[in-house]
Amino acid sequence: MTAVPDEPAPEERSSAAPRKPSGRVRHDEKMTVYVTADELLDIEHARLSLRRHQGLAVDRGRLVREAIAMALADLEANGDDSALVQRLIAR
């Protein structure tokens, strides 16, 4: 697990503009997922598209976590009619 560096104490910061939070959150659990080259390119394309068109600078991990959260919320709300169930049945 990679440690997240501590934020410098106020006296250690430069006198320049205050730092904006990165939006990163420390995650205590890790899961490895293998994807195809095409799936990885699709994720990277989505990440770059979000940056270009919506001004959202997100990393691939955050993008995947948000997509998982959306799929699970849809499953909870719609059960058998959820997009996740329908996609899994179709494969």
Side-chain angles (χ1 to χ4, degrees):
M1 180 166 50
T2 305
V4 177
D6 293 330
E7 187 171 323
E11 62 273 8
E12 295 175 5
R13 292 185 191 153
S14 67
S15 59
R19 292 185 61 170
K20 191 174 171 182
S22 69
R24 290 189 175 188
V25 175
R26 180 183 171 135
H27 302 283
D28 296 325
E29 302 297 330
K30 180 177 180 179
M31 181 177 90
T32 301
V33 177
Y34 291 91
V35 297
T36 66
D38 286 341
E39 290 167 335
L40 185 59
L41 286 173
D42 288 344
I43 292 168
E44 189 63 19
H45 181 264
R47 186 187 73 78
L48 292 172
S49 179
L50 286 168
R51 185 174 186 167
R52 181 178 303 117
H53 300 293
Q54 282 77 30
L56 297 171
V58 298
D59 60 37
R60 292 183 300 202
R62 181 171 174 206
L63 192 152
V64 169
R65 285 190 302 276
E66 292 296 336
I68 291 169
M70 289 173 55
L72 295 176
D74 181 41
L75 176 63
E76 186 174 324
N78 300 306
D80 290 347
D81 294 328
S82 69
L84 179 61
V85 170
Q86 296 307 309
R87 288 179 63 99
L88 291 172
I89 290 172
R91 292 187 186 223

